[in-house]
Amino acid sequence: MISKQQISEIISKYDQENLAIATVCSHSSLQIFDGARKEGLKTIGICVGQPPRFYDAFPKAKPDEYIVVESYADIPKIAQELVEKNAIIIPHGSFVEYMGAKNFAELPVPTFGNREVLEWESDREKEREWLEGAGIHMPKNVPDPKDINSPVMVKYYGAKGGRGFFIAKTYEEFLENIDPNEKFTIQEFILGTRYYLHYFYSPLETEGYSLSEGTLEMLSMDRRVESNADEIFRLGSPRELEEAGIHPTYVVTGNVPLVARESLLPLIFSLGEKVVEESIKLFGGMVGPFCLETVFTDHLEIKVFEISARIVAGTNFYISGSPYADLVEPDLSTGKRIAKEIKLAKDMGQLDKILS
Amino acid sequence: MISKQQISEIISKYDQENLAIATVCSHSSLQIFDGARKEGLKTIGICVGQPPRFYDAFPKAKPDEYIVVESYADIPKIAQELVEKNAIIIPHGSFVEYMGAKNFAELPVPTFGNREVLEWESDREKEREWLEGAGIHMPKNVPDPKDINSPVMVKYYGAKGGRGFFIAKTYEEFLENIDPNEKFTIQEFILGTRYYLHYFYSPLETEGYSLSEGTLEMLSMDRRVESNADEIFRLGSPRELEEAGIHPTYVVTGNVPLVARESLLPLIFSLGEKVVEESIKLFGGMVGPFCLETVFTDHLEIKVFEISARIVAGTNFYISGSPYADLVEPDLSTGKRIAKEIKLAKDMGQLDKILS
Amino acid sequence: MISKQQISEIISKYDQENLAIATVCSHSSLQIFDGARKEGLKTIGICVGQPPRFYDAFPKAKPDEYIVVESYADIPKIAQELVEKNAIIIPHGSFVEYMGAKNFAELPVPTFGNREVLEWESDREKEREWLEGAGIHMPKNVPDPKDINSPVMVKYYGAKGGRGFFIAKTYEEFLENIDPNEKFTIQEFILGTRYYLHYFYSPLETEGYSLSEGTLEMLSMDRRVESNADEIFRLGSPRELEEAGIHPTYVVTGNVPLVARESLLPLIFSLGEKVVEESIKLFGGMVGPFCLETVFTDHLEIKVFEISARIVAGTNFYISGSPYADLVEPDLSTGKRIAKEIKLAKDMGQLDKILS
């Protein structure tokens, strides 16, 4: 991974009155560009082949300029150009995925957030170490299928993008469904309702919900729309579908907005707080937006099944604010919050704290 | 119950240019405080133990001051302090529940709304008398389980917070599921889609949708997110789950925003109108926000299964307006609407009409 | 159908500084009136019997005046009055349905959009010719029930408003459910999640996402709330319900807002573009709002099962903007977009291009 020191040197040569934010034209880029524009930062859209025409339909999100690459794997080739344009990269889920984690780790361009988080988040074992170390409740692992005595989610190795899972309620159901040629993991299935909680952590000294260092915000929440799992009940029950050879899948196609029961907010903040505090201990701390992917049970417990340590697409609904962000300031998207953080850090002379 | 007369005397001594609104820090307090702030009213947050830190993250909803009690049952002890601060209490669902209905009835602090509604709303029989008296269609009671000839909801006495229900489609299913040691009621299960309709009734003379007295608004609507009933189909059908000993529960964890078919608005207003008119006859009328909890059937009929005669948490999504409230004025939450009503009543010298 | 020429003559006599928009008081009229008011156009509400009182509760959507008819079939009788008031009719789904397609086709009042679209949209065969001609993927027809080898939707002739459908996964299920006295069609059932995509096509020369002629916008999207299909799983699986003689229905009762995965936007725009380009070839082009009713599969393909060539009620949630429209300009509903188009066409002297 490129060192903090190297990034600091690059930043020190930036024309800080002409910073630009740059990201790949996908995932949550509309709000990232819109937010930067609102805060008066320049915007650079990185794209493959040619500029995507759909930005023409969204003038407020259209980047000031595009840099076209042949493939996302070529992004390292434009590093120098990005640096010359005083660019700060805003990584989103697709950015890292398209480019490859290794390429991303080495990219010699200042990047919003702490790149060290990547290794903690992308490795299931380390993620569990982090979250459970923070005192977060996660679904339990079930190492031996014979121990299945309540619903479980069975996940094949290399399952990706919402496929390669199945649900079993008993060992018998496990045996009926398992592909004996595949390696798998088994995790407790948490029955409840899914909430994706969108936080923002700032290591800068500002007023607000204070942690040992920095402050925490909760800007919005969503529920993912999963194809085909969300509507498959129209066709049949799990058993009826099994008989017909039809299998549920969990591919995210979009997001629905929602709010949580207000009496859960203390718990919601406490979860975010613990995750941040532990991240500071483990690797110097996350920076900026992160998302806890949770299930709210009918005992009003919150189980966390995953963390995303950057902007998630579930924030896309809230491009002009949310029921929570509106209580911070009007018209505050996560994209705009990122731009504000960059401007604030610049004004405080602390860009080093939020870039890596 | 404390008398109207006693409350009037307290109000007559208030410094009406320095009114404060007070409520318990939960349920819908973010929008109540935010709404009061927008209207220039002071805010007092009542909390147990210590001020909840999460308000630090929402500066626009943070109350001007907190009053800390040891337990909500101790709220009567702070009555004098509240009166000295010219406080008007905004009761929400948790407020009444936490404090206890009896304590609430006697609390010698001016309270937004008509406290008489409590006895009509908390007693199932009187609630039915009220709603059916208003000509509202409710799910039918089925006194004898042998008469089950269509889907029913069986509810144990003392069932609370979304547990202690089950659905049966036949008498056989009833027998398979019933716990013979428990008392129960049986109600017709209305098949359709749930809508929680958020109204506001003002007894003050203003322009708008006029009733025999006062005016009616419909500010928003939501659908509750119920754990685990909303996602349990992923695990199995009701029968498959029954075999596995897993039971659906209906615990509210949050709310999803939605709008209704516009051709239903005349019916929606007519339902609200009837309920208000009947409440005027029965007990002098509700005041302020109320919610009809309904199912829209596939014949576009609306069945009402419950009424909440105060602000409901389903309005929390709409802290900066809703598709309906935006047609009244911009940025209008139910919390803000309450603050506006208080200010208007004060300006008209009619606080007596909206407080009790 | 009334000729373009006749409409042009009527428009040429209009006092173009005093245009009014007129529509039937239902469906999406709140936003149509609100949008016109925001753009400074007069509004006329057409209603049966008497003005609907519920507009009194929504002052920003209340039309400037009402024209009362005895039944919607009588709208032709008020044509002269509408023309004298310089009215432009905004047709919505209920408008055409209530009035009857033939009456609508002949109505001698300038109407927003191209009336020729009606015949292409209301005839299943022509609709398929249009969409498939545009290269759109639709669910396949299954002419012979014996060929059912994956889930299908069976639809009786004359099925209307969400009834008269059933789902079958096999030929056996088809035989169990089919009413032998009814004519039917069989269509592939697309498993996935439903998205209703709200576009706006302007034939005027403006900047934006350009087509061969005019520009395209995507203003919002929704998911319909269907009674009882959306909540029927609480009662039983399809097979369990079948045994109990309970049948799913698909009657729209409202709409839930949502956003789509951003990486699908290029495809979403491409679908809209193809449909518009083909409509230009086939019948001179649609004008204004249209909606593609789609399913997003778990392979991130988008299948289109229907097109609505006018404003749909799914836009009603977005009366003050949407996550997409906010990137065009603030506070932009589809209703307001229509009013803007009329004003722009008037200023450009091109009302002929958008009216028929």
Short mmCIF file of all heavy atoms in Angstrom, two decimals, chain A residues 285-322:
data_model
loop_
_atom_site.label_atom_id
_atom_site.label_comp_id
_atom_site.label_asym_id
_atom_site.label_seq_id
_atom_site.Cartn_x
_atom_site.Cartn_y
_atom_site.Cartn_z
N GLY A 285 -8.32 4.07 12.30
CA GLY A 285 -9.65 4.63 12.14
C GLY A 285 -10.14 4.77 10.72
O GLY A 285 -9.39 5.12 9.82
N MET A 286 -11.41 4.48 10.54
CA MET A 286 -12.09 4.80 9.28
C MET A 286 -12.25 6.32 9.20
O MET A 286 -12.21 7.02 10.21
CB MET A 286 -13.50 4.23 9.28
CG MET A 286 -13.60 2.74 9.17
SD MET A 286 -15.37 2.31 9.02
CE MET A 286 -15.92 2.76 10.68
N VAL A 287 -12.53 6.80 8.00
CA VAL A 287 -12.84 8.21 7.81
C VAL A 287 -14.03 8.31 6.85
O VAL A 287 -14.07 7.59 5.85
CB VAL A 287 -11.65 8.98 7.20
CG1 VAL A 287 -12.05 10.41 6.84
CG2 VAL A 287 -10.48 8.97 8.17
N GLY A 288 -14.98 9.17 7.19
CA GLY A 288 -16.08 9.45 6.27
C GLY A 288 -17.22 8.47 6.40
O GLY A 288 -17.48 7.93 7.47
N PRO A 289 -17.92 8.22 5.28
CA PRO A 289 -19.14 7.41 5.35
C PRO A 289 -18.85 5.93 5.54
O PRO A 289 -17.86 5.42 5.03
CB PRO A 289 -19.79 7.64 3.98
CG PRO A 289 -18.69 8.06 3.08
CD PRO A 289 -17.65 8.73 3.92
N PHE A 290 -19.71 5.30 6.31
CA PHE A 290 -19.68 3.83 6.37
C PHE A 290 -21.10 3.35 6.62
O PHE A 290 -21.98 4.14 6.99
CB PHE A 290 -18.70 3.31 7.44
CG PHE A 290 -19.05 3.64 8.87
CD1 PHE A 290 -19.68 2.69 9.68
CD2 PHE A 290 -18.72 4.87 9.41
CE1 PHE A 290 -19.99 2.98 11.01
CE2 PHE A 290 -19.02 5.18 10.75
CZ PHE A 290 -19.65 4.23 11.54
N CYS A 291 -21.32 2.09 6.40
CA CYS A 291 -22.66 1.53 6.50
C CYS A 291 -22.63 0.23 7.29
O CYS A 291 -21.82 -0.64 7.01
CB CYS A 291 -23.22 1.26 5.09
SG CYS A 291 -24.81 0.41 5.08
N LEU A 292 -23.52 0.15 8.27
CA LEU A 292 -23.72 -1.14 8.94
C LEU A 292 -24.94 -1.81 8.32
O LEU A 292 -26.02 -1.21 8.22
CB LEU A 292 -23.92 -0.94 10.44
CG LEU A 292 -22.70 -0.42 11.21
CD1 LEU A 292 -23.02 -0.30 12.70
CD2 LEU A 292 -21.49 -1.33 11.01
N GLU A 293 -24.73 -3.03 7.88
CA GLU A 293 -25.80 -3.80 7.24
C GLU A 293 -26.39 -4.69 8.33
O GLU A 293 -25.70 -5.57 8.86
CB GLU A 293 -25.21 -4.60 6.08
CG GLU A 293 -24.42 -3.67 5.15
CD GLU A 293 -23.82 -4.35 3.92
OE1 GLU A 293 -24.18 -5.51 3.64
OE2 GLU A 293 -22.99 -3.71 3.26
N THR A 294 -27.64 -4.45 8.69
CA THR A 294 -28.18 -5.03 9.91
C THR A 294 -29.53 -5.69 9.70
O THR A 294 -30.20 -5.50 8.69
CB THR A 294 -28.38 -3.92 10.98
OG1 THR A 294 -29.53 -3.14 10.64
CG2 THR A 294 -27.17 -3.02 11.09
N VAL A 295 -29.91 -6.45 10.70
CA VAL A 295 -31.28 -6.93 10.83
C VAL A 295 -31.80 -6.50 12.19
O VAL A 295 -31.11 -6.67 13.19
CB VAL A 295 -31.34 -8.47 10.70
CG1 VAL A 295 -32.76 -8.98 10.99
CG2 VAL A 295 -30.92 -8.90 9.30
N PHE A 296 -32.99 -5.91 12.20
CA PHE A 296 -33.66 -5.56 13.45
C PHE A 296 -34.58 -6.73 13.80
O PHE A 296 -35.50 -7.04 13.04
CB PHE A 296 -34.51 -4.30 13.31
CG PHE A 296 -33.75 -3.01 13.15
CD1 PHE A 296 -32.38 -2.98 12.90
CD2 PHE A 296 -34.42 -1.78 13.25
CE1 PHE A 296 -31.70 -1.76 12.74
CE2 PHE A 296 -33.74 -0.58 13.11
CZ PHE A 296 -32.39 -0.56 12.85
N THR A 297 -34.32 -7.38 14.92
CA THR A 297 -35.16 -8.52 15.29
C THR A 297 -36.44 -8.04 15.99
O THR A 297 -36.57 -6.87 16.34
CB THR A 297 -34.43 -9.46 16.25
OG1 THR A 297 -34.37 -8.83 17.53
CG2 THR A 297 -33.02 -9.77 15.77
N ASP A 298 -37.32 -9.00 16.23
CA ASP A 298 -38.57 -8.64 16.91
C ASP A 298 -38.37 -8.47 18.41
O ASP A 298 -39.32 -8.16 19.13
CB ASP A 298 -39.68 -9.66 16.59
CG ASP A 298 -39.32 -11.06 17.01
OD1 ASP A 298 -38.24 -11.26 17.61
OD2 ASP A 298 -40.10 -11.98 16.74
N HIS A 299 -37.15 -8.65 18.89
CA HIS A 299 -36.83 -8.24 20.27
C HIS A 299 -36.13 -6.89 20.27
O HIS A 299 -35.55 -6.49 21.27
CB HIS A 299 -35.96 -9.30 20.96
CG HIS A 299 -36.72 -10.55 21.24
ND1 HIS A 299 -36.71 -11.63 20.38
CD2 HIS A 299 -37.56 -10.88 22.25
CE1 HIS A 299 -37.50 -12.57 20.86
NE2 HIS A 299 -38.02 -12.14 21.99
N LEU A 300 -36.18 -6.23 19.15
CA LEU A 300 -35.56 -4.91 18.98
C LEU A 300 -34.06 -4.94 19.26
O LEU A 300 -33.48 -3.99 19.76
CB LEU A 300 -36.30 -3.85 19.82
CG LEU A 300 -37.77 -3.66 19.40
CD1 LEU A 300 -38.47 -2.67 20.32
CD2 LEU A 300 -37.86 -3.20 17.95
N GLU A 301 -33.47 -6.07 18.95
CA GLU A 301 -32.01 -6.16 18.91
C GLU A 301 -31.55 -5.87 17.49
O GLU A 301 -32.30 -6.10 16.54
CB GLU A 301 -31.55 -7.57 19.29
CG GLU A 301 -31.83 -7.91 20.75
CD GLU A 301 -31.60 -9.38 21.04
OE1 GLU A 301 -31.76 -10.21 20.10
OE2 GLU A 301 -31.30 -9.70 22.18
N ILE A 302 -30.34 -5.40 17.37
CA ILE A 302 -29.79 -5.13 16.04
C ILE A 302 -28.58 -6.03 15.83
O ILE A 302 -27.60 -5.96 16.57
CB ILE A 302 -29.39 -3.64 15.89
CG1 ILE A 302 -30.62 -2.75 16.10
CG2 ILE A 302 -28.77 -3.39 14.51
CD1 ILE A 302 -30.35 -1.25 15.96
N LYS A 303 -28.67 -6.90 14.83
CA LYS A 303 -27.55 -7.76 14.48
C LYS A 303 -26.90 -7.20 13.23
O LYS A 303 -27.61 -6.83 12.28
CB LYS A 303 -28.05 -9.19 14.19
CG LYS A 303 -28.89 -9.78 15.31
CD LYS A 303 -28.03 -10.39 16.39
CE LYS A 303 -28.93 -11.06 17.43
NZ LYS A 303 -28.30 -12.22 18.05
N VAL A 304 -25.59 -7.17 13.22
CA VAL A 304 -24.85 -6.60 12.09
C VAL A 304 -24.24 -7.74 11.28
O VAL A 304 -23.49 -8.55 11.82
CB VAL A 304 -23.72 -5.67 12.59
CG1 VAL A 304 -22.92 -5.11 11.42
CG2 VAL A 304 -24.32 -4.54 13.43
N PHE A 305 -24.60 -7.84 10.02
CA PHE A 305 -24.02 -8.93 9.24
C PHE A 305 -22.87 -8.49 8.36
O PHE A 305 -22.12 -9.31 7.88
CB PHE A 305 -25.07 -9.75 8.49
CG PHE A 305 -25.97 -8.98 7.57
CD1 PHE A 305 -25.59 -8.76 6.26
CD2 PHE A 305 -27.17 -8.48 8.02
CE1 PHE A 305 -26.43 -8.07 5.40
CE2 PHE A 305 -28.01 -7.77 7.16
CZ PHE A 305 -27.64 -7.55 5.85
N GLU A 306 -22.70 -7.18 8.20
CA GLU A 306 -21.57 -6.72 7.39
C GLU A 306 -21.35 -5.24 7.59
O GLU A 306 -22.23 -4.51 8.03
CB GLU A 306 -21.85 -7.01 5.90
CG GLU A 306 -20.60 -7.18 5.07
CD GLU A 306 -20.83 -7.86 3.72
OE1 GLU A 306 -21.72 -8.73 3.62
OE2 GLU A 306 -20.13 -7.49 2.77
N ILE A 307 -20.13 -4.78 7.27
CA ILE A 307 -19.84 -3.35 7.28
C ILE A 307 -19.28 -2.98 5.91
O ILE A 307 -18.54 -3.75 5.29
CB ILE A 307 -18.84 -2.98 8.40
CG1 ILE A 307 -18.62 -1.46 8.46
CG2 ILE A 307 -17.51 -3.70 8.24
CD1 ILE A 307 -17.87 -0.98 9.69
N SER A 308 -19.69 -1.80 5.41
CA SER A 308 -19.07 -1.23 4.22
C SER A 308 -18.41 0.06 4.67
O SER A 308 -19.08 0.93 5.21
CB SER A 308 -20.10 -0.89 3.16
OG SER A 308 -20.66 -2.04 2.64
N ALA A 309 -17.14 0.18 4.43
CA ALA A 309 -16.40 1.31 5.00
C ALA A 309 -16.24 2.46 4.02
O ALA A 309 -15.19 3.09 3.95
CB ALA A 309 -15.05 0.82 5.51
N ARG A 310 -17.28 2.69 3.25
CA ARG A 310 -17.28 3.85 2.33
C ARG A 310 -18.71 4.16 1.96
O ARG A 310 -19.64 3.55 2.49
CB ARG A 310 -16.43 3.56 1.09
CG ARG A 310 -16.89 2.36 0.27
CD ARG A 310 -15.87 2.02 -0.79
NE ARG A 310 -14.57 1.78 -0.18
CZ ARG A 310 -14.25 0.67 0.49
NH1 ARG A 310 -15.13 -0.30 0.64
NH2 ARG A 310 -13.06 0.52 1.02
N ILE A 311 -18.91 5.11 1.06
CA ILE A 311 -20.26 5.47 0.66
C ILE A 311 -20.95 4.27 0.03
O ILE A 311 -20.37 3.56 -0.79
CB ILE A 311 -20.25 6.69 -0.30
CG1 ILE A 311 -21.66 7.17 -0.60
CG2 ILE A 311 -19.48 6.38 -1.58
CD1 ILE A 311 -21.70 8.51 -1.33
N VAL A 312 -22.20 4.02 0.44
CA VAL A 312 -22.97 2.92 -0.15
C VAL A 312 -24.07 3.50 -1.03
O VAL A 312 -24.52 4.63 -0.83
CB VAL A 312 -23.59 2.00 0.93
CG1 VAL A 312 -22.52 1.20 1.65
CG2 VAL A 312 -24.44 2.79 1.90
N ALA A 313 -24.51 2.68 -1.97
CA ALA A 313 -25.52 3.14 -2.93
C ALA A 313 -26.87 3.38 -2.27
O ALA A 313 -27.72 4.08 -2.83
CB ALA A 313 -25.66 2.12 -4.06
N GLY A 314 -27.06 2.84 -1.08
CA GLY A 314 -28.31 3.07 -0.36
C GLY A 314 -28.53 4.53 0.00
O GLY A 314 -29.65 4.93 0.30
N THR A 315 -27.46 5.32 -0.06
CA THR A 315 -27.61 6.76 0.21
C THR A 315 -28.14 7.51 -1.01
O THR A 315 -28.45 8.70 -0.91
CB THR A 315 -26.26 7.38 0.62
OG1 THR A 315 -25.33 7.22 -0.46
CG2 THR A 315 -25.69 6.71 1.85
N ASN A 316 -28.23 6.84 -2.16
CA ASN A 316 -28.60 7.54 -3.40
C ASN A 316 -29.99 8.17 -3.37
O ASN A 316 -30.24 9.15 -4.06
CB ASN A 316 -28.51 6.58 -4.60
CG ASN A 316 -27.08 6.33 -5.03
OD1 ASN A 316 -26.17 7.07 -4.65
ND2 ASN A 316 -26.87 5.28 -5.80
N PHE A 317 -30.89 7.58 -2.59
CA PHE A 317 -32.22 8.18 -2.53
C PHE A 317 -32.17 9.59 -1.94
O PHE A 317 -33.01 10.44 -2.25
CB PHE A 317 -33.16 7.32 -1.66
CG PHE A 317 -34.59 7.78 -1.76
CD1 PHE A 317 -35.41 7.34 -2.78
CD2 PHE A 317 -35.12 8.68 -0.84
CE1 PHE A 317 -36.73 7.78 -2.89
CE2 PHE A 317 -36.43 9.14 -0.95
CZ PHE A 317 -37.23 8.68 -1.98
N TYR A 318 -31.16 9.84 -1.11
CA TYR A 318 -31.17 11.03 -0.26
C TYR A 318 -30.30 12.14 -0.81
O TYR A 318 -29.54 12.79 -0.09
CB TYR A 318 -30.73 10.63 1.15
CG TYR A 318 -31.61 9.56 1.76
CD1 TYR A 318 -31.15 8.27 1.96
CD2 TYR A 318 -32.91 9.86 2.13
CE1 TYR A 318 -31.97 7.30 2.52
CE2 TYR A 318 -33.74 8.90 2.69
CZ TYR A 318 -33.26 7.61 2.89
OH TYR A 318 -34.07 6.67 3.44
N ILE A 319 -30.41 12.40 -2.08
CA ILE A 319 -29.54 13.36 -2.75
C ILE A 319 -29.84 14.80 -2.31
O ILE A 319 -29.01 15.68 -2.42
CB ILE A 319 -29.65 13.16 -4.28
CG1 ILE A 319 -28.41 13.67 -4.96
CG2 ILE A 319 -30.92 13.79 -4.85
CD1 ILE A 319 -28.01 12.87 -6.17
N SER A 320 -31.03 15.01 -1.78
CA SER A 320 -31.39 16.35 -1.28
C SER A 320 -31.72 16.33 0.20
O SER A 320 -32.46 17.17 0.69
CB SER A 320 -32.59 16.90 -2.06
OG SER A 320 -32.32 16.93 -3.43
N GLY A 321 -31.15 15.38 0.90
CA GLY A 321 -31.41 15.29 2.33
C GLY A 321 -32.20 14.06 2.68
O GLY A 321 -32.66 13.32 1.80
N SER A 322 -32.31 13.82 3.98
CA SER A 322 -33.04 12.66 4.48
C SER A 322 -33.71 13.09 5.79
O SER A 322 -33.41 14.16 6.33
CB SER A 322 -32.08 11.50 4.76
OG SER A 322 -31.52 11.62 6.06
#
